[in-house]
Amino acid sequence: MTAGATSNGDSRALIRLENLSKRFPGQKQNAIDNLSLDIPEGEIVILVGPSGSGKTTTLRMINRLIEPTSGRIFLEGEDVTSVNGDKLRRRMGYVIQQIGLFPHMTIETNIATVPRMLGWDTKRIRTRVRELLDLVGMDPEVYAKRYPKELSGGQRQRVGVARALAADPPVLLMDEPFSAIDPITRARLQNEFLQLQTKIRKTIVFVTHDIDEAIKMGDRIAILDESSHVAQYDTPSTILAAPANAFVEDFIGAGASLKRLNLTHVADVHLLDWPTMPVSAERDSVRAALLRSDKGSVLLVDDARRPQRWVNAMDLEHGSIPLAESGLEAPVMQRTATLYDALNEMLNSLQGATAVVDENGAFCGVIDIETVAAAIRKMREEARLVYRGEGGSPREPALAGAERGGDGDVRGGSDFGGAAPGGGDDFGAAAAGGGDA
Amino acid sequence: MSDFREYLSYRRDHLLEQTLEHAQLVLYAIATATVVSVLIAVLVYRRERVAAVALAAVGALFTVPSLALFALMIPIFGLGFRPAFIALTVYALLPILRNTIVGLRSVDSAVIESAQGMGMNRLRRLVKIELPLAWPVIITGMRVSTVMTVGIAAIAAYINGPGLGGDMLEGLARIGAPVALHMVLASILLVVALALLFDLVYLALGKLTTPKGIT
């Protein structure tokens, strides 16, 4: 995934915003000023910016909850600037921070909202609702008949996403969907959502004020300045490696290299093989497995290959403790988690490695701190190449901040030179921070 | 006291009929007032100023003394059921209108935004989302109006309205005569009983009709 930028004339654009402006009554300035943006099919595009940058207004103009003052909106090549707004909105899923489930309706009825309006028959709706609840990881038998107040915040937002996907719209608009949820649940929902997106491949426009979330979730990020001026529109790695201007650099903030750990997923790196034994195995066979391997410990797994305990030679000496309770508990990482999450987990658990599991919770390998360090080295190398390749600035004219581009380039260069050791510092600082947490 | 019991059993059919008439008058007035109030509320609740004007107008009608209002009905609607029904409807408006506006306004804006974002048009939002969510507040307004109207309906007897007011007025006019006091007492008791009964019915109705998810 290289290049990108505002690719005018890109035929893959599923949504195209053309010279969109909005002036609210009684305001002197445009809240949104001449915004043009192409949203490619099947990608997550993040609109991120400080408050007042008009990112929510922009999102709400895409489904015309707010009507643009001027400019045009295209969906799947069709000019939808003046079609019936309600009909248009049934073609776009909409998820908001406060979720807005209908409190007087069951989860099932909530999810069925759009299919009902589209006149689907009851049986089809029923099947679809069950399918969606499964998709977002909620048991239909348990939850279909419940009411929103009976669910936790995280569960509600899962239902919110299911409801938005109900009629299988090509587009999903999400306005800070995970911002009001506690950090632990938020990280889990983000990972689940990324996992979901690999299956559903929707075109997603996602608004957030949190650059870290943007980097983690986005295929592309549009960093918006005041009045929705696009300061930079590119892939997360390019934005981190080569911020277009001082505003972007400021907005990314410190710790760019640590943030880049969010770009690599555990599934993308080479996982280590590790000896495993069923937790029900005989002590002697575990000991034999340990002797056979070059590792200092064995991972005990249950029948579904879910990691349970780490045991080493010392633990096996204590004959009185049952195997299921010896050694250390084995924390796990989803394959979809980022290296940032993995590093954080290792620092928290004070273990140099953590077991990685697939969607079903089954063991698929081990990631250790060496692997993370190697990934950081590799990213740094790559970034250096990107920077050197910038010499002729082939990408520069494409950046929306091109008017400031020349200056920004030089600054970007010197800053980036300093970023490598800076990155090291960030790493150290975060390690300490992670340990505290 | 035994006299009074004798009076009640002797006049049972008459009293029952009067009570039913009274209840019917109240129910018609409340039903009409509810329809009118909800319509007005739906038209005005999103516009602060217009809503204030509507509430002020209905409030002004509410403050007209009941006797005066009944008297004012005579030149327009004559005597009997019709003017009584209209006057009571006018009184019942304020609590219902106010509660409906409050109820509609208290619907969580996120719920409305998500409904709108899914392509629900104005009418569908109102019928499927806003009114059901405002319903517990609306029915509370109806309850207040009903209990109040049961009392005021007695005065409708001045303009020949139906209900328990007839006995009450007649008894009061003939106080001193043999059964006059009984007539007054019986009708007062029945008015109070009717009010209490309505109150209980509303309580049950409120419980039954409030959507499960918002109790």
Side-chain angles (χ1 to χ4, degrees):
Chain A
M1 229 187 328
T2 50
T6 46
S7 36
N8 281 323
D10 186 343
S11 60
R12 290 187 315 132
L14 192 93
I15 304 171
R16 169 172 299 167
L17 309 181
E18 222 175 73
N19 307 107
L20 222 49
S21 292
K22 176 68 188 179
R23 180 177 300 195
F24 289 106
Q27 276 188 343
K28 284 200 190 103
Q29 261 195 322
N30 283 347
I32 307 293
D33 190 39
N34 202 25
L35 170 71
S36 294
L37 203 66
D38 277 3
I39 318 275
E41 183 166 2
E43 289 193 8
I44 303 183
V45 168
I46 312 275
L47 305 180
V48 63
S51 47
S53 55
K55 47 195 191 298
T56 294
T57 308
T58 303
L59 189 79
R60 297 175 56 136
M61 280 205 292
I62 297 177
N63 68 2
R64 304 218 344 261
L65 280 177
I66 295 177
E67 296 286 353
T69 312
S70 65
R72 296 200 295 170
I73 305 158
F74 293 89
L75 171 66
E76 298 176 302
E78 175 196 348
D79 187 344
V80 294
T81 322
S82 49
V83 302
N84 178 305
D86 287 319
K87 290 211 174 104
L88 173 67
R89 287 187 276 275
R90 291 173 201 173
R91 294 162 63 188
M92 301 182 172
Y94 187 53
V95 181
I96 54 176
Q97 184 184 340
Q98 313 88 328
I99 315 169
L101 293 182
F102 306 143
H104 59 306
M105 296 182 184
T106 60
I107 300 309
E108 185 169 29
T109 322
N110 263 286
I111 296 176
T113 308
V114 179
R116 279 188 173 181
M117 283 192 284
L118 297 176
W120 293 17
D121 64 66
T122 331
K123 210 176 136 208
R124 184 174 170 207
I125 293 178
R126 222 179 122 77
T127 318
R128 179 65 180 156
V129 167
R130 315 248 136 192
E131 186 183 304
L132 282 162
L133 279 173
D134 273 333
L135 193 67
V136 297
M138 290 173 73
D139 184 356
E141 296 308 317
V142 179
Y143 294 105
K145 301 289 179 200
R146 293 210 181 164
Y147 286 93
K149 67 166 184 183
E150 297 168 296
L151 305 187
S152 69
Q155 290 173 329
R156 277 182 217 170
Q157 196 51 286
R158 284 194 184 96
V159 175
V161 171
R163 184 173 67 169
L165 290 171
D168 206 16
V171 175
L172 209 51
L173 306 177
M174 308 181 85
D175 191 359
E176 307 219 11
F178 307 131
S179 299
I181 292 165
D182 70 88
I184 294 168
T185 314
R186 186 193 309 148
R188 201 166 63 215
L189 285 181
Q190 288 170 339
N191 294 341
E192 281 175 14
F193 187 74
L194 287 173
Q195 179 97 49
L196 185 65
Q197 168 67 354
T198 61
K199 292 183 211 159
I200 58 177
R201 287 273 153 223
K202 298 290 178 194
T203 305
I204 296 167
V205 188
F206 186 116
V207 164
T208 179
H209 61 270
D210 177 359
I211 185 71
D212 294 314
E213 186 175 43
I215 291 165
K216 179 173 178 181
M217 305 299 287
D219 294 316
R220 276 159 211 265
I221 300 176
I223 297 185
L224 303 181
D225 201 343
E226 262 173 58
S227 310
S228 273
H229 287 135
V230 181
Q232 188 166 10
Y233 182 36
D234 216 321
T235 61
S237 49
T238 311
I239 286 178
L240 286 174
N245 53 43
F247 172 78
V248 174
E249 218 165 279
D250 260 7
F251 194 74
I252 297 170
S257 41
L258 187 61
K259 285 187 174 116
R260 290 196 3 233
L261 283 180
N262 263 328
L263 294 174
T264 311
H265 294 264
V266 171
D268 304 336
V269 301
H270 181 68
L271 298 176
L272 305 172
D273 280 332
W274 209 269
T276 63
M277 286 301 282
V279 72
S280 55
E282 292 294 324
R283 197 170 291 266
D284 284 338
S285 51
V286 177
R287 198 172 289 136
L290 184 59
L291 288 176
R292 270 200 308 278
S293 88
D294 57 338
K295 306 285 196 270
S297 60
V298 170
L299 180 67
L300 298 179
V301 294
D302 68 4
D303 293 343
R305 286 190 58 75
R306 286 188 293 252
Q308 303 292 316
R309 317 287 299 182
W310 292 105
V311 291
N312 60 22
M314 288 250 286
D315 300 319
L316 290 171
E317 292 308 312
H318 299 289
S320 54
I321 307 171
L323 267 184
E325 287 164 33
S326 6
L328 289 168
E329 199 187 327
V332 296
M333 260 292 111
Q334 289 286 335
R335 268 153 46 92
T336 45
T338 64
L339 291 188
Y340 185 95
D341 299 328
L343 181 63
N344 201 30
E345 179 62 44
M346 286 179 224
L347 293 168
N348 278 340
S349 64
L350 298 174
Q351 295 173 14
T354 181
V356 178
V357 295
D358 63 17
E359 310 84 77
N360 303 317
F363 176 71
C364 50
V366 163
I367 184 167
D368 67 358
I369 215 146
E370 284 302 316
T371 317
V372 178
I376 294 171
R377 274 195 297 276
K378 191 165 149 242
M379 274 189 280
R380 221 182 264 163
E381 286 302 317
E382 282 172 0
R384 217 166 270 150
L385 288 177
V386 168
Y387 168 57
R388 289 208 188 107
E390 287 270 298
S393 296
R395 192 180 300 120
E396 187 221 290
L399 297 175
E403 66 274 22
R404 281 183 275 179
D407 180 39
D409 229 28
V410 177
R411 284 174 36 80
S414 61
D415 274 26
F416 194 74
D425 284 352
D426 291 330
F427 188 84
D436 285 343
Chain B
M1 200 58 208
S2 63
D3 271 9
F4 184 54
R5 220 172 280 160
E6 211 169 284
Y7 168 82
L8 285 183
S9 68
Y10 178 68
R11 300 282 284 167
R12 212 176 65 193
D13 289 351
H14 167 79
L15 288 173
L16 197 65
E17 195 191 313
Q18 301 270 286
T19 311
L20 285 178
E21 269 183 12
H22 200 99
Q24 193 184 32
L25 175 64
V26 169
L27 284 179
Y28 281 1
I30 295 298
T32 314
T34 304
V35 172
V36 174
S37 299
V38 171
L39 281 179
I40 298 176
V42 163
L43 290 176
V44 305
Y45 77 104
R46 303 216 292 189
R47 280 164 286 186
E48 198 74 43
R49 298 258 287 281
V50 187
V53 170
L55 276 173
V58 173
L61 288 173
F62 189 75
T63 57
V64 176
S66 47
L67 208 53
L69 189 64
F70 282 122
L72 281 173
M73 292 288 142
I74 299 171
I76 316 169
F77 301 107
L79 295 171
F81 179 87
R82 208 148 63 123
F85 159 73
I86 289 166
L88 287 183
T89 303
V90 166
Y91 276 115
L93 285 177
L94 182 66
I96 306 178
L97 179 66
R98 198 168 46 194
N99 278 31
T100 308
I101 290 177
V102 169
L104 287 173
R105 280 188 182 160
S106 62
V107 175
D108 184 357
S109 60
V111 168
I112 295 173
E113 191 189 335
S114 77
Q116 210 177 350
M118 281 188 285
M120 279 194 175
N121 59 27
R122 182 98 174 71
L123 183 68
R124 198 187 283 261
R125 282 204 306 275
L126 199 63
V127 173
K128 298 261 176 187
I129 310 291
E130 296 175 74
L131 284 173
L133 288 176
W135 178 243
V137 188
I138 300 175
I139 201 174
T140 306
M142 290 167 68
R143 193 173 150 196
V144 171
S145 275
T146 307
V147 172
M148 187 189 76
T149 314
V150 168
I152 299 176
I155 299 166
Y158 275 114
I159 52 169
N160 260 348
L164 293 159
D167 275 19
M168 201 182 293
L169 285 189
E170 203 181 327
L172 284 172
R174 286 164 42 190
I175 213 86
V179 292
L181 191 61
H182 289 164
M183 285 175 87
V184 176
L185 270 182
S187 45
I188 289 176
L189 275 177
L190 286 170
V191 164
V192 172
L194 194 59
L196 289 176
L197 184 71
F198 269 128
D199 212 33
L200 286 176
V201 168
Y202 270 107
L203 213 60
L205 204 64
K207 285 234 166 79
L208 282 175
T209 56
T210 301
K212 241 172 98 192
I214 53 173
T215 47

